[in-house]
Amino acid sequence: MADEKKRLLTGLQSSGQLHIGNYLGALKRFVGAYADYESMLMVADLHALTSVKNPAQLREGIIDVVADYIAVGVDPTKATIFKQSDVLEHPELAWIFECLVTVPFLQQAHAFKDKVAKGLEANAGLFNYPMLMAADILLYDTDVVPVGEDQRQHIEYAREAAAKFNLAYGDTFKEPKEMILEGVGTVPGVDGKKMSKSYGNTIPLFGTDEAIRVAVMSIKTDSTAVGAPLNPTTDITFQLHQHFTPNLAEIQKRYMDGTIGYKESKELLAHNIIATIAPMRERRAALSREAVIQILKDGAEVARARAQAKMKDVREKIGVGLY
Ligand code: ADP
Ligand code: TRP
């Protein structure tokens, strides 16, 4: 029965063009997990506002996050997809939590400390960021929160906010657990370092066939002569084959026999990446902006109804709900 399913919620900030590292490390795992839960996928546009000051960029970022997730296989009829700014109960509850936690507690947040250490402007939104995230999670009685390792502390903050509220006003919020997405390890970029948009070494997820081919052909290799055996353990192309190539054992054998060269290996890899991605790209292209907007509108209604019911209880408990 649907009611017996545990609740899952995650929030996503738009972070520009996705690469295959994002897909293998985060999106694919999420797609594999969300249908077992009553899932909510939230676009964290108010969180994005702590750094994005360009309205057009924020707007496109929202649409892109939704389109990306639908393209990789999230079924909008199986998950509630909505954006944070459509449910005003999020900032309302964040404020209530902010009145329960101390400044030194928030000063310990790694994400905040990192930004300050980098000399970035520490706006008050960034400082309060963990309490808005706690509100996102706690409003919906969430059981599990799939996130990357870097968000672990934020989930601890959410548990702390729940505990503080429950202690002050009585049992109201469930303490959520993080579901740390791991497994594929670090996907290497074309230069062998972690694939990351900040290193400019990515293979784009939704690029054209040509863009994918160009990126794959630029993968760094050593100067082993054609016909000599290649070492699959150290070769970057082979590491990527592991995620995209069905007949891996055969390729491995050809590496060791010296019957495949880097050029052929890369061509094969590009072909297999394109074959994996093509259906996703088609789904993305078939999805109109209007369809994305409709998904967000429908999701907002579902989220709002749940959030409002929860906040009625919260308002009564804290003493502002008179009527
Ligand atoms: P980037 O390093 O390109 O800025 P993000 O930090 O926005 O990527 O990553 C978003 C998510 O994608 C991370 O939480 C992580 O799980 C996943 N991810 C990013 N790069 C990789 C990679 N090279 N290998 C595996 N997973 C990755
Ligand atoms: N802070 C998260 C990130 O940058 C995004 C986020 C916002 C989130 N609200 C959330 C994640 C609630 C999980 C649950 O990745």
Side-chain angles (χ1 to χ4, degrees):
M1 259 172 29
D3 280 354
E4 286 167 11
K5 278 192 178 174
K6 292 216 174 214
R7 296 185 167 199
L8 174 153
L9 177 141
T10 197
L12 308 153
Q13 288 197 60
S14 66
S15 55
Q17 281 249 319
L18 295 175
H19 52 73
I20 63 170
N22 298 135
Y23 170 63
L24 297 168
L27 283 79
K28 193 177 174 198
R29 297 259 331 189
F30 175 81
V31 171
Y34 85 99
D36 296 334
Y37 296 84
E38 189 186 315
S39 291
M40 301 186 88
L41 193 57
M42 183 197 77
V43 184
D45 56 348
L46 295 177
H47 276 125
L49 199 54
T50 61
S51 58
V52 182
K53 310 295 178 189
N54 175 327
Q57 191 190 337
L58 193 54
R59 214 174 282 131
E60 290 319 304
I62 294 168
I63 303 280
D64 276 347
V65 171
V66 177
D68 290 340
Y69 271 78
I70 291 180
V72 298
V74 174
D75 177 347
T77 65
K78 294 206 181 116
T80 300
I81 303 177
F82 73 106
K83 71 179 166 70
Q84 198 177 29
S85 62
D86 279 343
V87 188
L88 295 177
E89 285 72 11
H90 291 238
E92 181 186 3
L93 183 58
W95 174 260
I96 295 169
F97 290 148
E98 281 154 30
C99 295
L100 283 168
V101 299
T102 64
V103 168
F105 173 71
L106 290 179
Q107 275 169 334
Q108 285 157 29
H110 304 315
F112 177 70
K113 283 201 289 196
D114 288 352
K115 296 262 161 70
V116 174
K118 280 187 196 147
L120 295 179
E121 179 201 44
N123 57 57
L126 196 62
F127 185 66
N128 290 321
Y129 187 113
M131 291 301 104
L132 180 57
M133 182 157 160
D136 300 337
I137 297 167
L138 300 177
L139 257 178
Y140 302 100
D141 297 321
T142 303
D143 296 290
V144 291
V145 188
V147 282
E149 179 61 45
D150 61 322
Q151 296 295 313
R152 185 189 288 278
Q153 191 197 30
H154 283 154
I155 314 301
E156 282 165 21
Y157 271 55
R159 280 198 289 273
E160 191 69 22
K164 285 221 159 76
F165 188 100
N166 291 346
L167 188 67
Y169 299 109
D171 213 13
T172 310
F173 292 110
K174 215 184 238 184
E175 291 191 21
K177 284 203 168 49
E178 61 277 358
M179 177 197 265
I180 301 288
L181 297 176
E182 53 194 357
V184 292
T186 304
V187 178
V190 296
D191 58 358
K193 283 196 290 186
K194 170 188 184 279
M195 188 178 291
S196 171
K197 61 177 174 297
S198 36
Y199 299 149
N201 62 356
T202 62
I203 300 172
L205 181 62
F206 294 120
T208 58
D209 289 1
E210 195 44 33
I212 292 169
R213 241 178 245 124
V214 167
V216 170
M217 295 318 284
S218 76
I219 293 174
K220 228 168 82 180
T221 49
D222 60 24
S223 51
T224 310
V226 180
L230 303 176
N231 184 349
T233 352
T234 52
D235 180 44
I236 305 163
T237 310
F238 189 81
Q239 329 244 304
L240 293 169
H241 270 301
Q242 297 181 358
H243 301 291
F244 294 98
T245 297
N247 52 340
L248 195 64
E250 187 191 321
I251 303 295
Q252 185 166 11
K253 187 166 177 298
R254 291 188 61 199
Y255 261 68
M256 308 215 287
D257 293 348
T259 54
I260 191 168
Y262 286 128
K263 183 159 179 285
E264 188 189 345
S265 177
K266 287 179 183 180
E267 278 163 359
L268 198 61
L269 175 65
H271 176 271
N272 290 342
I273 293 179
I274 291 166
T276 309
I277 288 175
M280 300 181 197
R281 211 168 40 193
E282 277 165 27
R283 231 175 295 161
R284 204 174 192 286
L287 192 69
S288 67
R289 194 185 175 86
E290 290 67 36
V292 170
I293 288 173
Q294 193 57 48
I295 288 166
L296 286 171
K297 282 186 179 169
D298 294 345
E301 271 185 43
V302 175
R304 240 181 248 135
R306 291 187 195 165
Q308 283 168 1
K310 188 75 185 175
M311 282 310 287
K312 187 169 188 306
D313 182 33
V314 170
R315 288 192 195 113
E316 276 162 19
K317 286 200 167 119
I318 65 172
V320 300
L322 291 175
Y323 35 77

